[in-house]
Amino acid sequence: MDGYHLNHLQELEAESIYVIREVAAQFERPVLLFSGGKDSIVMFHLARKAFWPAKVPFPLLHIDTGHNFPETLEFRDRLMEKTGAKCIVRYVQDTIDAGKVVEETGPGASRNVLQTVTLLDAIEEFKFDAAMGGGRRDEEKARAKERFFSHRDVFGQWDPKNQRPELWNLFNGRKKLGEHFRVFPLSNWTEMDVWQYIYMENIEIPSLYFTHEREVFLRDGVWLATAPFMELKEGEVPVKKRVRCRTIGDITNTGLTLSEANSVLDIIKEVAATRTTERGARADDKRSETSMEDRKKEGYF
Amino acid sequence: MSDLIEGYLNMELLRFTTAGSVDDGKSTLIGRLLYDSKAIFEDQLEAIERASERAGSDEVNLALLTDGLRAEREQGITIDVAYRYFATPKRKFIIADTPGHVQYTRNMVTGASTANVAVILVDARHGVLEQTIRHSYIASLLQIPHLIVTVNKMDLVNFDEKVFEDIKDQFRKLAGKLEIKDVRFVPISAKYGDNVVKRSENMPWYEGPTLMYLLETIHISSDWNHTIMRFPVQYVIRPQSDKYHDFRGYAGRIASGVFKPGDKVTVLPSGLTTRIKTIEMMEKQLDKAFAPMSVLMTLEDDIDISRGDMIVGENKAPQVGDEIEIMLCWLNETPMRLGGKYYLKHTTNDLRCLVQDVEYKVDINTLDKIHGDKSVGLNEIAKVKLRTTKPLYYDSYRTNRVTGSLILIDEATNNTVGAGMIV
Ligand SMILES: Nc1nc2c(ncn2[C@@H]2O[C@H](COP(=O)(O)OP(=O)(O)O)[C@@H](O)[C@H]2O)c(=O)[nH]1
């Protein structure tokens, strides 16, 4: 070795910071999509590093489905206070109340699809021209071909057949009026990389990721949390279990893992031993093998 | 720290691309690498078993692991570059999987642009074909530092040593015509796993490493250029807060060379010289920075610097000019327009250019130069002369993959239409 050597986390960090700086340089009104999950927390951490000692030169945007775990919102507000960053919140409930979308009802109902409309409205409202998301290519097959800079047409749609080739580190953010980009700075990270980086950088994450006692019930082999808006089907019985989230989404579709992990190191060990992908724990993606792809075409990532 | 973490924090990142013609067994090989290194999760495996059943095959089809979008699944083909991830205790791997068919050159060029290693598949029954020449040429054109030729389907030729040796000879003859620095050969059977991750018992005559061993150990840290100092300025940081009232920092990613505080540097295009005051990353002061690190630099003197400028060392100045020659790979259905104007992106610089001339085209199946034909269409490669609206600070692609590469963008559609390597 010649002493000029980065480990893979440092190399991924360098790449992501480069991408985030490109976004700030190439676009007029970028925004960082913040979900309160570990990927968006890491992305925000990278953004702070990218512009330090200046403030992050763009706002965060949280699309609140109204079905969040309360811990997620508390965490978000605390993080914004601590860092002095600005987070815009837009509500799916408002989109429903405005009659723009119809909510699914019954057990298994999810607001995941509705988010798309609220998000596109917010992009329109603030004239955002680039929205950074924490999506990773390892999450799902449909994402394996996603670019760092993903072009969306005026309807916010993604055309899998018509993506721009992406070569070297030359990112093409040129666009016409009304078009925008989704940018994925964490494209090359895996779930394991994210956890290791959280450990390496000592990044604070919501308590939901660690073991805690919670009232849960079993549906289609997945443990889900009970909540006032969760309708139970016949035969579904709430029980108390020690669980944690592997990924944080809505209460309605976030599968909980039975786990005793209470530190990032424990989580890393668990991920190393585990044999199920993160998204396997999301009830939502099981609906059809290609559901992610369908949502992506509609504008949700 | 536990061993787990210790080991993990010492892992290197290796990017590789795979190339083969349709049915050479590329998908099977990638599936095999993922499967035998246990990088496949159970639910993915279940999904594949289900899909294999639906498609009417009874054994698990490893190729389905790397199959992507629905439209492609329906057509039974893959159409683009897909990225896969796996890790072993030694390295984390990123595979740029570029399937072989019509759009091939474009896809492979894209996947190859960031790769450290190209894995080229050859079907043991067919030997070195036109496609092999094409793939090797692209690997050498894109200056992928290491090439691994895997001779696949050895099971179909009775694991015969002679077949392997003949293919090696054929390939060596070809490699002589190309600029390939480091070539290795491995006889494998992707379907049965021989010499992919596990050593083959069927080929005792082969004493070399398995494909996985090579991927885990090939020396890559010197793939980056650590001698000539290049720092394209990406973003100027001015906090304008009370605490950092007069602070001015230059953010960017080191393209090559090693930068240290105190080093004398020149800023281009102004040509002014100064010294590096600090190199930092959040509250951490660094004593050196090298490619591919993203850092923040401050300078001793107040010089007017903006995005697109380049901070370079004293040892070797980049070339400067508004007329450059490139090897161009055309990426778009609409052919290149001779005399046409395009946007040009080079490091952090945006400018425009005019295509002045096509010197020759390359027949990528025979490697012959074609003179006189000035049309350049999709998947074609040509040596082209460009004139830029302002001078470019560059190195030849051969010496620097970052400051020697550029893309062309169509002014009407905004599409990325050309990939250029400066000669
Ligand atoms: N006998 C044998 N067949 C193989 C081997 N590798 C791949 N195949 C078969 O060759 C065919 C094409 O393989 P596939 O991986 O889909 O090729 P691709 O088009 O290059 O991705 C499939 O029927 C595979 O099962 C091998 O090592 N030995």
Side-chain angles (χ1 to χ4, degrees):
Chain A
M1 295 270 158
D2 48 17
Y4 304 126
H5 164 76
L6 299 181
N7 74 31
H8 76 292
L9 295 172
Q10 292 166 321
E11 192 168 334
L12 290 172
E13 178 192 64
E15 177 179 81
S16 301
I17 287 177
Y18 177 82
V19 172
I20 293 169
R21 286 170 172 167
E22 270 312 282
V23 171
Q26 290 195 33
F27 296 93
E28 270 164 44
R29 290 165 171 268
V31 68
L32 188 151
L33 300 178
F34 188 81
S35 69
K38 64 178 189 309
D39 299 323
S40 60
I41 292 167
V42 163
M43 187 166 55
F44 177 53
H45 177 84
L46 291 163
R48 290 182 64 219
K49 272 194 139 175
F51 302 103
W52 189 273
K55 284 202 171 148
V56 175
F58 39 76
L60 285 72
L61 171 65
H62 183 215
I63 301 300
D64 187 337
T65 58
H67 286 174
N68 288 294
F69 287 96
E71 290 95 327
T72 309
L73 303 183
E74 282 160 27
F75 181 87
R76 176 195 73 197
D77 295 343
R78 214 156 23 86
L79 183 65
M80 294 312 121
E81 205 183 293
K82 204 173 83 181
T83 58
K86 185 176 157 218
C87 186
I88 299 165
V89 184
R90 284 295 174 270
Y91 300 90
V92 171
Q93 190 62 49
D94 291 344
T95 312
I96 295 169
D97 294 346
K100 288 186 170 178
V101 290
V102 180
E103 188 166 21
E104 295 177 25
T105 52
S110 158
R111 287 184 167 181
N112 225 329
V113 182
L114 308 189
Q115 283 189 76
T116 305
V117 180
T118 315
L119 173 61
L120 289 177
D121 280 355
I123 286 173
E124 174 73 32
E125 177 187 351
F126 293 96
K127 303 273 176 271
F128 289 130
D129 54 1
M132 280 170 272
R136 294 179 275 111
R137 290 183 185 133
D138 81 317
E139 277 177 85
E140 216 265 352
K141 272 204 269 183
R143 277 196 172 153
K145 291 159 199 220
E146 184 57 280
R147 305 295 196 261
F148 277 94
F149 274 41
S150 177
H151 178 255
R152 302 301 156 102
D153 64 16
V154 274
F155 304 104
Q157 294 202 22
W158 178 74
D159 178 0
K161 282 217 177 112
N162 195 19
Q163 289 196 80
R164 297 175 181 176
E166 215 160 65
L167 298 109
W168 298 290
N169 282 307
L170 296 167
F171 298 109
N172 174 3
R174 286 191 180 270
K175 62 186 181 317
K176 296 187 180 148
L177 209 67
E179 297 177 342
H180 72 275
F181 274 79
R182 297 291 166 81
V183 180
F184 303 101
L186 304 184
S187 287
N188 280 332
W189 299 55
T190 61
E191 182 186 17
M192 187 56 143
D193 298 328
V194 171
W195 283 117
Q196 294 282 350
Y197 187 73
I198 288 170
Y199 180 83
M200 188 172 92
E201 295 280 292
N202 202 10
I203 301 170
E204 201 188 331
I205 50 168
S207 57
L208 283 168
Y209 283 114
F210 303 111
T211 187
H212 57 284
E213 192 173 84
R214 193 167 212 108
E215 194 176 81
V216 294
F217 64 94
L218 198 60
R219 174 178 294 166
D220 303 330
V222 178
W223 290 104
L224 294 172
T226 57
F229 46 80
M230 286 291 275
E231 267 182 60
L232 295 191
K233 288 188 217 169
E234 229 186 272
E236 291 176 341
V237 191
V239 285
K240 291 225 158 135
K241 292 271 179 202
R242 291 197 64 78
V243 292
R244 66 174 206 88
C245 292
R246 253 184 101 178
T247 158
I248 295 182
D250 281 3
I251 294 187
T252 52
N253 57 26
T254 299
L256 299 158
T257 311
L258 301 179
S259 166
E260 290 295 332
N262 63 19
S263 69
V264 174
L265 212 53
D266 284 349
I267 292 174
I268 290 169
K269 285 183 196 146
E270 196 179 285
V271 172
T274 211
R275 303 287 295 141
T276 310
T277 50
E278 257 178 308
R279 286 207 163 258
R282 283 212 182 165
D284 217 57
D285 286 327
K286 282 214 169 153
R287 289 181 173 189
S288 103
E289 233 187 284
T290 44
S291 57
M292 166 85 81
E293 218 171 286
D294 291 336
R295 272 189 282 140
K296 201 145 123 175
K297 280 190 190 159
E298 282 159 20
Y300 170 87
F301 294 102
Chain B
M1 262 203 284
S2 80
D3 290 350
L4 180 72
I5 301 289
E6 198 79 66
Y8 202 85
L9 294 184
N10 281 320
M11 274 166 63
E12 265 181 325
L13 180 62
L14 181 128
R15 300 171 200 252
F16 70 96
T17 182
T18 51
S21 320
V22 178
D23 282 345
D24 279 352
K26 200 152 52 63
S27 314
T28 309
L29 177 61
I30 294 173
R32 174 60 66 189
L33 278 171
L34 298 178
Y35 187 77
D36 283 358
S37 64
K38 306 200 168 41
I40 300 173
F41 290 111
E42 234 153 52
D43 54 344
Q44 287 176 327
L45 195 57
E46 269 169 38
I48 285 153
E49 279 164 1
R50 263 185 278 131
S52 300
E53 271 166 37
R54 265 206 309 276
S57 58
D58 36 347
E59 55 187 293
V60 176
N61 186 352
L62 287 176
L64 285 177
L65 266 175
T66 56
D67 205 11
L69 302 179
R70 175 164 56 188
E72 301 162 31
R73 238 171 296 161
E74 279 161 6
Q75 296 164 31
I77 51 159
T78 20
I79 49 170
D80 205 81
V81 187
Y83 294 87
R84 324 273 168 204
Y85 302 84
F86 71 103
T88 67
K90 294 208 179 69
R91 275 184 179 164
K92 172 194 164 100
F93 297 96
I94 302 180
I95 314 177
D97 179 16
T98 54
H101 59 109
V102 214
Q103 295 271 309
Y104 197 69
T105 301
R106 163 181 138 158
N107 295 343
M108 185 173 166
V109 166
T110 304
S113 68
T114 50
N116 308 90
V117 173
V119 174
I120 294 193
L121 272 97
V122 175
D123 188 320
R125 296 168 302 174
H126 307 142
V128 172
L129 301 175
E130 235 174 41
Q131 287 95 314
T132 321
I133 300 176
R134 201 154 73 203
H135 302 151
S136 312
Y137 174 66
I138 295 170
S140 80
L141 183 70
L142 273 287
Q143 295 275 315
I144 300 181
H146 315 276
L147 207 66
I148 303 176
V149 179
T150 53
V151 179
N152 189 30
K153 307 198 184 181
M154 286 300 292
D155 55 295
L156 296 181
V157 296
N158 297 318
F159 297 106
D160 184 355
E161 180 175 9
K162 182 156 188 314
V163 173
F164 178 65
E165 290 299 329
D166 286 350
I167 291 175
K168 258 166 84 171
D169 287 344
Q170 285 175 8
F171 193 89
R172 286 225 175 89
K173 281 199 196 101
L174 164 67
K177 287 197 253 173
L178 300 169
E179 255 185 81
I180 301 173
K181 293 169 207 149
D182 177 24
V183 196
R184 325 282 176 105
F185 299 88
V186 189
I188 64 165
S189 166
K191 190 169 178 178
Y192 300 106
D194 294 74
N195 288 336
V196 178
V197 175
K198 297 176 191 145
R199 284 206 72 80
S200 169
E201 287 171 9
N202 297 309
M203 292 177 271
W205 48 264
Y206 175 73
E207 288 172 350
T210 60
L211 173 61
M212 180 62 97
Y213 183 84
L214 276 179
L215 291 173
E216 284 187 331
T217 55
I218 273 186
H219 182 69
I220 51 169
S221 68
S222 49
D223 290 356
W224 289 96
N225 180 326
H226 291 310
T227 50
I228 53 170
M229 293 161 70
R230 303 284 183 264
F231 182 69
V233 175
Q234 193 185 5
Y235 197 86
V236 179
I237 307 266
R238 304 200 59 182
Q240 291 168 318
S241 61
D242 291 344
K243 188 172 167 199
Y244 296 97
H245 192 72
D246 291 321
F247 185 95
R248 247 172 179 275
Y250 307 100
R253 199 171 183 192
I254 313 277
S256 61
V258 181
F259 289 76
K260 295 187 176 120
D263 280 351
K264 210 167 154 194
V265 290
T266 304
V267 182
L268 297 172
S270 72
L272 296 172
T273 58
T274 180
R275 285 182 190 276
I276 298 172
K277 192 157 124 195
T278 61
I279 303 175
E280 47 197 276
M281 211 44 224
M282 222 163 186
E283 284 157 319
K284 224 192 267 163
Q285 300 289 326
L286 308 177
D287 59 8
K288 62 173 185 285
F290 49 90
M293 288 167 74
S294 281
V295 294
L296 182 68
M297 243 181 234
T298 60
L299 302 175
E300 292 288 356
D301 299 291
D302 220 352
I303 298 177
D304 190 25
I305 299 177
S306 44
R307 173 175 163 88
D309 290 0
M310 200 187 298
I311 298 176
V312 305
E314 295 276 276
N315 55 348
K316 188 175 182 293
Q319 302 188 60
V320 183
D322 59 4
E323 284 200 13
I324 52 168
E325 289 187 326
I326 61 169
M327 293 305 294
L328 174 70
C329 175
W330 199 251
L331 310 169
N332 201 263
E333 283 80 7
T334 310
M336 186 198 76
R337 282 170 287 117
L338 187 61
K341 294 189 182 98
Y342 295 92
Y343 290 126
L344 186 155
K345 234 180 213 304
H346 171 253
T347 66
T348 53
N349 232 318
D350 284 288
L351 49 160
R352 295 172 71 214
C353 72
L354 180 95
V355 181
Q356 277 192 315
D357 192 20
V358 177
E359 283 178 42
Y360 60 81
K361 280 178 25 175
V362 178
D363 181 330
I364 56 174
N365 296 323
T366 60
L367 306 184
D368 291 336
K369 290 178 186 168
I370 309 164
H371 291 272
D373 179 0
K374 309 259 174 190
S375 68
V376 182
L378 179 62
N379 292 317
E380 293 193 313
I381 291 169
K383 187 167 176 198
V384 168
K385 225 188 225 157
L386 301 180
R387 187 187 182 99
T388 55
T389 47
K390 55 178 183 180
L392 224 57
Y393 312 94
Y394 63 92
D395 298 288
S396 70
Y397 186 77
R398 190 177 288 112
T399 53
N400 197 321
R401 280 171 101 185
V402 182
T403 55
S405 53
L406 56 86
I407 55 170
L408 299 185
I409 297 166
D410 187 281
E411 293 186 319
T413 64
N414 289 327
N415 241 318
T416 304
V417 291
M421 285 134 285
I422 303 175
V423 178

